[in-house]
Amino acid sequence: MTTPISEAPPPADSHRARLHQIIFEADTFAGRAFDVSLIVLILVSILAVSVETLRDLSPRTQAVMVVLEWVLTAIFTLEYILRLVAVRKPLRYATSFFGVVDLLAILPSWLGLFVPGAQALLVVRVLRLLRIFRILKLARFLSEAERLTHALRASMRKIAVFLLTVATIVVIVGSIMFVVEGPENGFTSLPVSMYWAVVTLTTVGYGDIAPRTPLGQLLASLVMILGYGIIAVPTGIVTSELTAGRFQHGVSTQSCPSCSAGGHDLDAKYCRVCGAAL
Amino acid sequence: MTTPISEAPPPADSHRARLHQIIFEADTFAGRAFDVSLIVLILVSILAVSVETLRDLSPRTQAVMVVLEWVLTAIFTLEYILRLVAVRKPLRYATSFFGVVDLLAILPSWLGLFVPGAQALLVVRVLRLLRIFRILKLARFLSEAERLTHALRASMRKIAVFLLTVATIVVIVGSIMFVVEGPENGFTSLPVSMYWAVVTLTTVGYGDIAPRTPLGQLLASLVMILGYGIIAVPTGIVTSELTAGRFQHGVSTQSCPSCSAGGHDLDAKYCRVCGAAL
Amino acid sequence: MTTPISEAPPPADSHRARLHQIIFEADTFAGRAFDVSLIVLILVSILAVSVETLRDLSPRTQAVMVVLEWVLTAIFTLEYILRLVAVRKPLRYATSFFGVVDLLAILPSWLGLFVPGAQALLVVRVLRLLRIFRILKLARFLSEAERLTHALRASMRKIAVFLLTVATIVVIVGSIMFVVEGPENGFTSLPVSMYWAVVTLTTVGYGDIAPRTPLGQLLASLVMILGYGIIAVPTGIVTSELTAGRFQHGVSTQSCPSCSAGGHDLDAKYCRVCGAAL
Amino acid sequence: MTTPISEAPPPADSHRARLHQIIFEADTFAGRAFDVSLIVLILVSILAVSVETLRDLSPRTQAVMVVLEWVLTAIFTLEYILRLVAVRKPLRYATSFFGVVDLLAILPSWLGLFVPGAQALLVVRVLRLLRIFRILKLARFLSEAERLTHALRASMRKIAVFLLTVATIVVIVGSIMFVVEGPENGFTSLPVSMYWAVVTLTTVGYGDIAPRTPLGQLLASLVMILGYGIIAVPTGIVTSELTAGRFQHGVSTQSCPSCSAGGHDLDAKYCRVCGAAL
């Protein structure tokens, strides 16, 4: 979560310091404007990549998309160069996660000039969307995101036990249904049967594979009710963690030196029962 | 949430005051009867609009619907005029949200006399259903609705972080599945692929698009289990907020007479900030 | 929840008292044996009714089902007569909810002797399954069922607000999708469109109707994510209520007369802070 | 949850003690390496069984799978023999749950030499996956798994009431839909109708059976919204239990020296039952 690239700018080189403030920080008006513009450009870029994959595009739209792709590539290339200039240790930025993502986001277009089939690599641009989180991190959303990730991390082991249970159920249920329904009812192999088990347990239920024998339908019903109950477990874990986090923020473990009453708020300076200083 | 149109009636004009009491308030018997009749008429109106779109209607039923539409339009027009009369500042009502909705609800029928294709506008009537909330607001449901909206608003930022995470997952998963499955398996374009990702992540699972390659099915299984876990997050957020709201009732509304700090526990006898007696 | 029919048996008529104890109560061995046998017979009866609706039954199986139906009808008729005999006020039992259900459960078979198409009425037998709850009520499950129903009833008004919100969303979303997708894509009428909205919002997702236009798929994606978030609300309500119920059982509102510390357990007789009697 | 087979090794026979430490325990480096290797081999074995069920396998892949199956069977047979040697009471291990599973996991391959159709029994190998839990039990995941299972066991009776309610709703809804939709719309029999009810209530929604009549679609919509609300109940139960378990940590394990009452708050200085100092 630490961002080693956004270190304090050098006091001497004021130009680079100003550039660093605009590109890497979001405290000034210019910095925030830069960040918001970047989000918009990234969204436009994803939209353009998406539209390009649509069939039945008119030649004119295709031409617009090609131009748009090159304009955005130019802007992102300029941005990448500016980022390299703005930090005091460019190599450290270039090898950081976002440095690599920034490079990968512009490389496919340039590679396309020499290598014909670079179109497939354009999907890498999607990773640029992750930058939204870096931008958000600089904003006030940090604390909320941290509380959510903290709650998830605190229940990591419970979630691991839960996922293992789900995996075991999927394998066992998949095997049983493979034997019960068989290839003639769409359960063509054990992996496909397990895929069906996941689709059913998670209540997604595509319907591309569905039990047709009475016994299969009975077993599937039991699996669904099981999945219905199992979905309660991760919810319970996360909720319990979030609720606990909320209460742990609020109550100190200190007890009053005068009347020994406990459960004071964290910011309490005087005992709420007897008024003595804590 | 404030209703600027339900202001105290003028003491002089007693007729208008009485009308205002019936139409805008729900404290008297006449006012409550008016509100309940209105809800019934709105529901009948929505039912009539719905039935009109049904195919294979007999000419007789169609005639009944046309008559019903005009009767309801007449009633709602009368109601709109009465509302304009009942308030002291008609323009303020006419430009308020519900004033515009009330007008839009009757306009399509009248426009249909001059413009032929006004049938498509009839759908606007649906907005009239929102009036149920205004009527409810006058009743005892207000506090419950407010607690729910308060819990949702308090967790706005957490929900924003959550939605951004979901959006990022959808874009990344959609891109990967587009490459893995390809147009020949129904993933015809990147937007369609993202649509599939939303359908799967939210556990809706229509089955109009479903992975067919083994690798696609494996990836889809992982996405489903991910969605299964992700569904826990909004639940956890709302539950945590609702539970906290319940416990915050344990916080008194009293503020310290000495330092005016608020948020004291219900059993607090001394200010936790300055130690003064409450 | 009160069972007016299980009143104290008359001290004089010991035969009827014994019968009442066996049929209506579950405290003695005989009473419990009667209740368990009844549950088993009800389940067998439901199974028989279910099997009868299966197609392609061999004539032999059909004959077995006919015999089974008559045996069970005879047993349930005998049980009904015994219930009438066992209570002091037979009319009061006969007009109670379970009295009517018990009668309806045996009537279709007897009516079938005179009226040919009584087969359709056999479905009424399903209501007999509700008796399981009466039997359970006499057992130790009562308190758990009561806590659940109490939690649901306590959040009745919140749930009403929630259902109204869902209904409004369904009507508005259904109308928009009817206009966007139209009859040619399966959204044949406004009611069908609303049915689709319910199927999508609740994350059921049959796939019998699915959006096909890009705009429809975009709107559907938003509805799904909305439904994903909305599902959190009832969960939050019930969880909050259940958690609160748990804590309200545990802490008394009494504060210590000596040191005024609060938050004592309900069974506390002495202050946990200063040791004074409460 | 106790593992009677991992008893203290005999002090005399140091070879067997060392073997026991490696195979049954996970405290030493060798023991942990053995456990991790075993997990990997079990996963490979399940993968191999899964791949074998895939259609259109090249003869070469089939040959590889046959060899792999025999190599793994040899390793697991050796492991089984070593386990019998390592424990002091081999019969007690052989008749324990994991002893039987270990035997069943290797038997089908050996039986296949004499009985041709032993392929169907290969599915039994899936049970070997359960060993992951035994291995995990020896690790630090035990406490988390225990907290989850404790939370589930504590709410057993509430879950039973919930499942009964769901079963009753399924039977009643299934019966009504069978009458409303009938065999011509896919609701071919009462059991199939109930299967549909489970698919809908649990929000799985395959779409293999879907209501087609307007009345059926209306009823189905109500069932979906009901299912939407019902899904909140198990979540509420588990969450409430998990949250409560967390707060019960605030209860000290100390019992009163005077009256031996337990369950005191962490900050309690005096017994809440008899007032004696703790």
Side-chain angles (χ1 to χ4, degrees):
Chain A
M1 282 293 167
T2 57
T3 49
I5 52 176
S6 60
E7 44 199 9
D13 191 348
S14 70
H15 270 296
R16 187 194 285 171
R18 172 121 185 82
L19 205 61
H20 187 278
Q21 208 171 36
I22 293 172
I23 298 180
F24 284 99
E25 285 165 41
D27 301 328
T28 60
F29 175 79
R32 205 164 292 145
F34 179 85
D35 286 344
V36 171
S37 321
L38 198 60
I39 293 182
V40 172
L41 285 178
I42 292 170
L43 288 177
V44 168
S45 148
I46 290 171
L47 205 73
V49 173
S50 300
V51 167
E52 265 179 88
T53 64
L54 282 176
R55 288 165 161 194
D56 314 324
L57 276 188
S58 67
R60 202 178 154 179
T61 317
Q62 268 183 323
V64 169
M65 286 303 135
V66 167
V67 171
L68 193 62
E69 189 197 322
W70 278 107
V71 169
L72 286 168
T73 302
I75 293 174
F76 288 137
T77 308
L78 183 68
E79 180 218 339
Y80 184 69
I81 294 167
L82 283 178
R83 280 185 191 274
L84 284 176
V85 170
V87 289
R88 271 189 298 174
K89 299 180 180 172
L91 203 71
R92 205 166 146 190
Y93 159 70
T95 55
S96 73
F97 174 70
F98 277 113
V100 172
V101 166
D102 290 347
L103 186 62
L104 284 175
I106 51 176
L107 228 77
S109 302
W110 295 117
L111 274 179
L113 291 179
F114 313 100
V115 191
Q119 201 202 9
L121 290 164
L122 272 172
V123 162
V124 179
R125 280 197 180 175
V126 163
L127 284 173
R128 225 184 284 173
L129 196 71
L130 290 172
R131 191 181 284 141
I132 289 180
F133 285 95
R134 188 176 60 175
I135 290 164
L136 285 176
K137 215 153 65 182
L138 301 167
R140 304 168 67 193
F141 284 79
L142 175 61
S143 64
E144 296 299 341
E146 246 174 26
R147 266 184 71 185
L148 277 181
T149 50
H150 179 265
L152 285 174
R153 208 175 303 158
S155 39
M156 215 55 160
R157 242 184 270 166
K158 265 204 222 78
I159 289 173
V161 169
F162 168 74
L163 286 180
L164 258 170
T165 315
V166 167
T168 312
I169 293 173
V170 162
V171 172
I172 294 176
V173 164
S175 308
I176 296 174
M177 287 303 281
F178 176 59
V179 173
V180 168
E181 289 279 327
E184 65 275 17
N185 289 320
F187 293 74
T188 49
S189 68
L190 205 47
V192 165
S193 226
M194 290 178 196
Y195 161 72
W196 171 86
V198 171
V199 169
T200 301
L201 253 192
T202 56
T203 77
V204 170
Y206 285 133
D208 51 350
I209 308 163
R212 281 181 224 156
T213 64
L215 182 58
Q217 292 182 337
L218 179 65
L219 287 172
S221 299
L222 296 179
V223 171
M224 284 169 217
I225 289 171
L226 192 68
Y228 205 46
I230 280 177
I231 212 171
V233 176
T235 310
I237 291 169
V238 173
T239 306
S240 164
E241 212 61 53
L242 277 176
T243 311
R246 174 181 293 280
F247 283 101
Q248 276 162 7
H249 276 271
V251 179
S252 88
T253 55
Q254 198 178 10
S255 68
C256 176
S258 166
C259 73
S260 52
H264 297 289
D265 289 355
L266 276 180
D267 62 343
K269 284 184 180 58
Y270 295 90
C271 175
R272 69 180 202 284
V273 178
C274 70
L278 291 174
Chain B
M1 282 295 165
T2 58
T3 50
I5 50 175
S6 61
E7 44 198 9
D13 191 347
S14 70
H15 271 296
R16 187 193 286 171
R18 172 120 184 81
L19 205 60
H20 188 277
Q21 210 171 35
I22 292 172
I23 298 181
F24 283 100
E25 285 165 40
D27 301 329
T28 60
F29 176 78
R32 206 162 293 144
F34 179 87
D35 285 345
V36 170
S37 319
L38 198 61
I39 293 182
V40 171
L41 285 178
I42 292 170
L43 288 177
V44 168
S45 148
I46 290 171
L47 205 73
V49 173
S50 300
V51 167
E52 266 179 88
T53 64
L54 281 177
R55 288 165 160 195
D56 313 325
L57 275 188
S58 67
R60 203 178 153 177
T61 317
Q62 266 181 324
V64 169
M65 287 302 135
V66 167
V67 171
L68 193 62
E69 189 197 322
W70 277 107
V71 169
L72 286 168
T73 302
I75 293 174
F76 288 136
T77 308
L78 184 68
E79 179 218 339
Y80 183 68
I81 293 166
L82 282 179
R83 281 186 191 274
L84 284 176
V85 171
V87 289
R88 272 190 298 174
K89 299 180 179 172
L91 203 72
R92 205 166 144 191
Y93 161 69
T95 56
S96 74
F97 174 71
F98 277 112
V100 173
V101 166
D102 290 347
L103 186 62
L104 284 175
I106 51 175
L107 229 75
S109 302
W110 295 117
L111 275 178
L113 291 179
F114 313 99
V115 192
Q119 201 203 7
L121 290 165
L122 273 173
V123 162
V124 178
R125 280 197 181 176
V126 163
L127 284 173
R128 225 184 282 174
L129 196 69
L130 290 172
R131 192 182 283 141
I132 289 179
F133 285 95
R134 189 177 58 175
I135 291 165
L136 286 176
K137 215 151 68 181
L138 301 168
R140 304 167 67 193
F141 284 79
L142 175 60
S143 64
E144 295 300 341
E146 246 175 26
R147 266 184 71 185
L148 276 180
T149 50
H150 179 265
L152 285 174
R153 207 175 303 157
S155 40
M156 215 54 159
R157 241 184 271 166
K158 263 202 224 80
I159 289 173
V161 169
F162 169 73
L163 285 179
L164 257 169
T165 315
V166 167
T168 313
I169 293 173
V170 162
V171 172
I172 294 176
V173 164
S175 308
I176 296 173
M177 287 303 280
F178 176 60
V179 173
V180 169
E181 289 280 327
E184 65 275 16
N185 289 319
F187 294 75
T188 49
S189 69
L190 205 46
V192 164
S193 225
M194 290 178 197
Y195 161 73
W196 171 86
V198 171
V199 169
T200 301
L201 252 192
T202 56
T203 77
V204 171
Y206 285 134
D208 51 349
I209 309 162
R212 281 182 223 154
T213 63
L215 182 58
Q217 293 183 335
L218 178 66
L219 287 171
S221 299
L222 295 179
V223 171
M224 284 170 217
I225 288 171
L226 191 68
Y228 205 46
I230 280 176
I231 212 171
V233 176
T235 309
I237 292 169
V238 174
T239 305
S240 163
E241 213 60 54
L242 278 176
T243 311
R246 176 179 291 280
F247 282 99
Q248 275 161 7
H249 277 268
V251 175
S252 87
T253 56
Q254 198 178 11
S255 68
C256 175
S258 166
C259 73
S260 68
H264 297 289
D265 289 356
L266 276 181
D267 62 342
K269 286 187 177 56
Y270 295 92
C271 174
R272 68 182 201 285
V273 178
C274 70
L278 291 175
Chain C
M1 283 296 166
T2 57
T3 50
I5 50 175
S6 61
E7 44 198 10
D13 190 350
S14 70
H15 271 295
R16 188 193 284 171
R18 173 120 182 82
L19 206 60
H20 187 278
Q21 210 172 35
I22 292 171
I23 298 181
F24 284 100
E25 285 165 41
D27 301 328
T28 59
F29 176 78
R32 204 163 294 144
F34 180 86
D35 286 344
V36 172
S37 319
L38 198 61
I39 294 183
V40 172
L41 285 178
I42 292 170
L43 289 177
V44 168
S45 147
I46 290 171
L47 205 75
V49 173
S50 300
V51 167
E52 265 179 87
T53 65
L54 283 175
R55 288 164 160 195
D56 313 326
L57 276 188
S58 68
R60 204 178 150 177
T61 317
Q62 267 182 325
V64 168
M65 287 302 135
V66 168
V67 170
L68 193 62
E69 189 197 322
W70 278 107
V71 169
L72 286 168
T73 302
I75 292 173
F76 288 137
T77 308
L78 184 68
E79 180 217 339
Y80 184 68
I81 293 167
L82 282 179
R83 280 186 191 274
L84 284 176
V85 171
V87 288
R88 272 191 297 175
K89 299 180 180 173
L91 204 72
R92 203 165 148 193
Y93 160 69
T95 56
S96 73
F97 174 71
F98 277 112
V100 172
V101 166
D102 289 348
L103 185 62
L104 283 175
I106 51 175
L107 228 75
S109 302
W110 295 117
L111 274 178
L113 291 179
F114 312 101
V115 191
Q119 202 203 8
L121 290 165
L122 272 173
V123 162
V124 179
R125 281 198 180 175
V126 163
L127 284 172
R128 223 184 284 173
L129 196 69
L130 290 172
R131 191 180 286 141
I132 289 179
F133 285 95
R134 190 177 57 175
I135 290 165
L136 286 175
K137 214 152 68 183
L138 301 167
R140 305 167 66 192
F141 285 79
L142 176 60
S143 64
E144 295 300 340
E146 246 174 25
R147 268 183 71 184
L148 277 181
T149 50
H150 179 265
L152 285 174
R153 208 176 302 158
S155 40
M156 214 54 157
R157 239 183 271 166
K158 264 203 223 79
I159 289 173
V161 170
F162 169 73
L163 286 180
L164 258 169
T165 315
V166 167
T168 312
I169 293 174
V170 162
V171 172
I172 293 176
V173 164
S175 308
I176 296 174
M177 287 304 281
F178 176 60
V179 172
V180 168
E181 289 280 326
E184 65 275 16
N185 288 320
F187 294 75
T188 49
S189 70
L190 206 46
V192 165
S193 226
M194 290 178 197
Y195 161 72
W196 171 86
V198 172
V199 169
T200 302
L201 253 191
T202 56
T203 77
V204 170
Y206 285 134
D208 51 350
I209 308 163
R212 282 183 222 152
T213 64
L215 183 57
Q217 293 182 335
L218 179 65
L219 287 172
S221 299
L222 296 179
V223 171
M224 284 169 217
I225 288 171
L226 192 68
Y228 205 46
I230 281 176
I231 213 171
V233 175
T235 310
I237 292 169
V238 173
T239 305
S240 163
E241 212 61 53
L242 277 175
T243 312
R246 173 181 293 280
F247 283 100
Q248 277 161 8
H249 276 271
V251 179
S252 88
T253 55
Q254 197 178 10
S255 68
C256 176
S258 166
C259 73
S260 53
H264 296 290
D265 289 356
L266 277 181
D267 63 343
K269 283 186 180 58
Y270 294 91
C271 174
R272 68 182 202 285
V273 177
C274 71
L278 291 175
Chain D
M1 282 295 167
T2 57
T3 49
I5 51 174
S6 61
E7 44 198 11
D13 191 349
S14 70
H15 271 295
R16 188 195 283 172
R18 173 119 183 83
L19 206 60
H20 187 278
Q21 209 171 36
I22 293 172
I23 298 181
F24 284 100
E25 285 165 41
D27 302 326
T28 59
F29 175 78
R32 203 162 293 144
F34 179 85
D35 286 344
V36 170
S37 318
L38 198 59
I39 292 182
V40 171
L41 286 179
I42 292 170
L43 288 176
V44 168
S45 148
I46 291 171
L47 205 75
V49 173
S50 300
V51 167
E52 266 180 86
T53 65
L54 283 175
R55 289 165 159 194
D56 313 324
L57 277 188
S58 66
R60 202 179 151 175
T61 317
Q62 266 182 325
V64 169
M65 285 303 135
V66 167
V67 170
L68 193 62
E69 190 198 321
W70 277 108
V71 169
L72 286 167
T73 302
I75 293 174
F76 288 138
T77 308
L78 183 69
E79 178 217 340
Y80 183 68
I81 293 166
L82 283 178
R83 279 184 192 273
L84 284 176
V85 170
V87 288
R88 272 191 299 175
K89 299 180 180 171
L91 204 72
R92 205 165 147 192
Y93 160 69
T95 56
S96 73
F97 174 71
F98 277 112
V100 173
V101 166
D102 289 348
L103 186 61
L104 284 175
I106 52 174
L107 228 76
S109 301
W110 296 116
L111 275 178
L113 292 179
F114 312 100
V115 192
Q119 201 204 6
L121 290 165
L122 272 173
V123 162
V124 179
R125 281 200 180 172
V126 163
L127 285 173
R128 223 184 284 174
L129 196 70
L130 291 172
R131 190 181 284 140
I132 289 179
F133 285 95
R134 189 177 59 174
I135 291 165
L136 286 176
K137 216 154 65 182
L138 301 167
R140 304 167 66 191
F141 284 79
L142 176 59
S143 63
E144 295 299 342
E146 248 174 25
R147 268 185 71 183
L148 277 181
T149 50
H150 179 266
L152 285 174
R153 209 174 302 158
S155 40
M156 215 56 158
R157 242 184 268 166
K158 266 204 221 78
I159 289 174
V161 170
F162 169 73
L163 286 180
L164 258 169
T165 315
V166 167
T168 312
I169 293 174
V170 162
V171 172
I172 293 176
V173 163
S175 308
I176 296 174
M177 288 302 281
F178 176 60
V179 172
V180 168
E181 289 280 326
E184 64 275 16
N185 288 320
F187 294 74
T188 48
S189 69
L190 205 47
V192 164
S193 226
M194 290 178 197
Y195 162 73
W196 171 87
V198 171
V199 169
T200 302
L201 254 192
T202 56
T203 77
V204 170
Y206 284 134
D208 51 349
I209 308 164
R212 282 183 223 155
T213 64
L215 183 57
Q217 293 182 336
L218 179 66
L219 286 172
S221 300
L222 296 179
V223 171
M224 283 169 218
I225 288 171
L226 191 68
Y228 205 46
I230 280 178
I231 212 170
V233 176
T235 310
I237 292 169
V238 173
T239 305
S240 164
E241 211 62 51
L242 277 175
T243 311
R246 177 180 291 281
F247 282 100
Q248 275 161 9
H249 277 267
V251 175
S252 86
T253 54
Q254 198 177 10
S255 68
C256 176
S258 168
C259 72
S260 67
H264 298 289
D265 288 357
L266 275 180
D267 62 344
K269 286 188 177 56
Y270 296 91
C271 175
R272 68 182 202 284
V273 178
C274 70
L278 291 174

